[in-house]
Amino acid sequence: MSQPYEQSYLYRLRHSAAHLMAQAVTELYPGAKLSIGPPIENGFYYDIDFPESLKEEDLPRIEQKMKELSKLDQRIQRSEVSRDEAKNLILDDSIPSMGSTVAEYKLQLLDAIPEGETISFYDQQRTDRDGKLHRFLDLCRGPHVDTTKEIKHFKLMNLAGAYWRGEVKNKQLTRIYGTAFESAEELEAYLHMLEEAKKRDHRLLGKELGLFMFSPRVGTGLPLWLPKGATLRMVMTDFLQKEQVKRGYDPVVTPHIASIKLYEKSGHIINYRDKMFPFMEDQEGDKDTYILKPMNCPFHIEIYQSQMRSYRDLPVRYAEFGTVHRYEQSGEVTGILRARGFTQDDAHLFVTPEQLQDEFIGVVELMQTVLKKLGLSDYRVRVGTKDPAGDKYVGHDDNWVAATNAITDACDKLGLDYEISPGDAAFYGPKLDLIIKDALGREWQMGTVQVDYNLPERFELEYIGEDSKPHRPVMIHRAPFGSLERMIGLLTEQYTGAFPFWLSPVQITILAIADRHNEAAFAMATKLREEIYDSRNLRVTVDDRRETLGKKIREAQLHKTPYMLILGDRGLEEGTIGVRSREDGDLGEMTVASFLSALKN
Ligand SMILES: [Zn+2]
Ligand SMILES: [Zn+2]
């Protein structure tokens, strides 16, 4: 196994690049106050309080200065000091990055270091031609690389505003994002990947392809699904529904809101409050408080509990495409990948402890079937367990151990490679996540399955066993897509909008060459729509606008329509059409029948 990123050379290199950037800034912008500058997933940042506002156009100048400073081969040296010495250093007016005028944030950071903990500084020093000593000193835990010469392949990316300590009441600082790599090739590849990602951005493509939209009058993170996007959803839910029926799932439908009592019982009020929309007080009617549904589980539990269950009834598998709403921070909302309203392909299985392993395996197999169908074959498995130090969990430790073992045993039996990730559990139980790698090598957490002993206990769920005594079932929560929104976001970027034929919202478009071909084109569309492909009717449109054929072809190509059928005089006389494919271009003239048989093969 490779070492964790936090202990890698790359991590130290990026942290050192953040310091190098801060050094360049203090030399270029006297009076700039430094706060914090850590390495992050794909690079680093530094939050700085600038005397005057910084613009993106200023970044190349800072980058240039960094290059000069890097070449000077400054040793990066660590020193450990007492709290008093630290304070003196921070207030030392003879060191450019320090001194009373810029010390504001560093003094607060020093105060935040707990008594008894090591206080360390990192120094970058050089002597210039005239023998003058230049220093860049920073209060920092480290670790760093040995010399600035190692920091060669970097780029400053963009600016953002960031409140000091993340609190809105504090001053907004300027955050400069950058990235650094060990080699020029890796930096190049990363920048290229970002360019590609920009072209594939689902927010952009979603608009271009007419999949979904947002409106400020509707609200942040609340997508409106347009006909083509809604078609895509329909095809996906239809496919999954059929797979679920084959596996003995039963559909249920539940409301969007419920009384607070339901969520008190489930534990959401205590453990999930910060992700819930403001509560609704009904002062006039039944004087109850209502809550917008953030999860479907408690509703399915109510249905399970509505009648006496025998071991013969189990497993019970309730499935619902359940729309939920979660109060994501507005800054974290990202298109349909992280929306405030979304639809989970949710299901809850109520099983006997003896059935747990087989049912769990069944769920994982279903998830594998789904991913294969969607063309997502590159993924890894992560088992999220309870963080031993965390307090956001319900239930006894015994239950957690049993549930975690059920997941890892099932993975072993399936021969799945998995990694354990402490702290990634849901508040009621451990879970297995599928992390998908997309065409650009980026990772997406998608489908999830959770084993839960705790909600059955909170709701006192029962079934009568073979021994005629009551027993407690175990619950499995699962969502192979994760949510329709997230999955469609991923698929849009994965395929750059050119969805596989079975998924394409419009599969075939008929281009009438002239007005006199329109009638025949619509008649052909009606006939084609009766054809079944992959157990669904073909989705066909007609472009009958008074535009040139060239323009119609370009537009269909832009909309990533898999097939264009060109209908002109020859079509009327000889019954043949010109066929163009999205991938292969002109496929020549053929009859509709031969096109269909080629398609179905
Ligand atoms: Zn640092
Ligand atoms: Zn659930």
Side-chain angles (χ1 to χ4, degrees), residues 249-268:
Y249 284 76
D250 290 313
V252 291
V253 177
T254 65
H256 291 287
I257 64 169
S259 162
I260 192 169
K261 295 180 198 94
L262 182 66
Y263 290 103
E264 278 164 356
K265 186 84 179 160
S266 66
H268 283 87

Side-chain angles (χ1 to χ4, degrees), residues 15-16 18-19 36-39 46 106 122 138-144:
H15 191 172
S16 306
H19 278 221
I36 55 162
Y46 215 119
K106 293 292 172 188
Y122 278 81
D138 202 354
L139 172 69
C140 175
R141 202 184 298 143
H144 284 278

Side-chain angles (χ1 to χ4, degrees), residues 265-331:
K265 186 84 179 160
S266 66
H268 283 87
I269 295 297
I270 297 168
N271 299 291
Y272 211 70
R273 178 71 185 89
D274 54 346
K275 285 270 169 135
M276 294 163 81
F277 268 80
F279 298 172
M280 291 166 266
E281 307 285 346
D282 180 8
Q283 306 287 15
E284 313 226 314
D286 48 15
K287 304 218 170 12
D288 203 349
T289 300
Y290 287 90
I291 283 164
L292 190 54
K293 169 165 82 173
M295 283 191 194
N296 303 299
C297 343
F299 293 84
H300 296 183
I301 291 173
E302 286 294 314
I303 297 176
Y304 175 89
Q305 215 167 15
S306 64
Q307 60 185 55
M308 182 65 93
R309 307 283 176 172
S310 129
Y311 70 95
R312 290 171 197 278
D313 302 327
L314 269 50
V316 166
R317 308 179 187 93
Y318 289 146
E320 175 176 18
F321 290 97
T323 300
V324 296
H325 290 86
R326 296 185 187 167
Y327 200 71
E328 301 287 353
Q329 297 298 311
S330 57

Side-chain angles (χ1 to χ4, degrees), residues 262-507:
L262 182 66
Y263 290 103
E264 278 164 356
K265 186 84 179 160
S266 66
H268 283 87
I269 295 297
I270 297 168
N271 299 291
Y272 211 70
R273 178 71 185 89
D274 54 346
K275 285 270 169 135
M276 294 163 81
F277 268 80
F279 298 172
M280 291 166 266
E281 307 285 346
D282 180 8
Q283 306 287 15
E284 313 226 314
D286 48 15
K287 304 218 170 12
D288 203 349
T289 300
Y290 287 90
I291 283 164
L292 190 54
K293 169 165 82 173
M295 283 191 194
N296 303 299
C297 343
F299 293 84
H300 296 183
I301 291 173
E302 286 294 314
I303 297 176
Y304 175 89
Q305 215 167 15
S306 64
Q307 60 185 55
M308 182 65 93
R309 307 283 176 172
S310 129
Y311 70 95
R312 290 171 197 278
D313 302 327
L314 269 50
V316 166
R317 308 179 187 93
Y318 289 146
E320 175 176 18
F321 290 97
T323 300
V324 296
H325 290 86
R326 296 185 187 167
Y327 200 71
E328 301 287 353
Q329 297 298 311
S330 57
E332 283 169 2
V333 169
T334 315
I336 52 169
L337 288 182
R338 202 147 169 200
R340 283 181 169 177
F342 56 94
T343 303
Q344 292 181 303
D345 53 329
D346 213 356
H348 294 93
L349 289 74
F350 301 85
V351 308
T352 70
E354 298 74 40
Q355 292 166 339
L356 177 59
Q357 194 169 85
D358 281 349
E359 286 300 313
F360 188 88
I361 288 174
V363 166
V364 174
E365 277 168 349
L366 170 61
M367 292 169 89
Q368 290 173 321
T369 303
V370 167
L371 292 186
K372 193 168 170 221
K373 177 80 176 174
L374 295 172
L376 303 169
S377 53
D378 195 357
Y379 55 86
R380 63 186 175 89
V381 177
R382 185 180 69 196
V383 177
T385 58
K386 185 173 167 172
D387 175 358
D391 56 359
K392 282 233 150 192
Y393 303 101
V394 295
H396 301 299
D397 282 344
D398 300 356
N399 287 347
W400 280 86
V401 171
T404 306
N405 288 342
I407 294 180
T408 52
D409 288 352
C411 286
D412 290 337
K413 217 168 167 183
L414 280 164
L416 283 179
D417 268 337
Y418 59 88
E419 57 172 294
I420 301 273
S421 178
D424 270 327
F427 76 81
Y428 45 77
K431 61 177 183 152
L432 177 152
D433 289 314
L434 294 180
I435 319 277
I436 295 168
K437 198 179 249 183
D438 74 5
L440 297 182
R442 297 171 300 173
E443 292 202 314
W444 307 61
Q445 184 193 318
M446 301 304 291
T448 175
V449 41
Q450 299 157 10
V451 174
D452 177 10
Y453 285 81
N454 291 319
L455 287 180
E457 200 159 296
R458 287 185 81 93
F459 281 86
E460 295 151 24
L461 298 186
E462 285 180 349
Y463 66 91
I464 303 301
E466 242 177 311
D467 56 3
S468 306
K469 293 196 177 91
H471 295 268
R472 186 133 295 160
V474 188
M475 267 177 85
I476 300 175
H477 311 241
R478 45 109 281 188
F481 296 148
S483 75
L484 281 164
E485 282 72 10
R486 230 178 123 66
M487 186 50 92
I488 290 174
L490 164 59
L491 292 172
T492 304
E493 300 205 0
Q494 172 79 357
Y495 292 112
T496 324
F499 300 106
F501 185 78
W502 75 276
L503 261 181
S504 291
V506 173
Q507 296 172 309

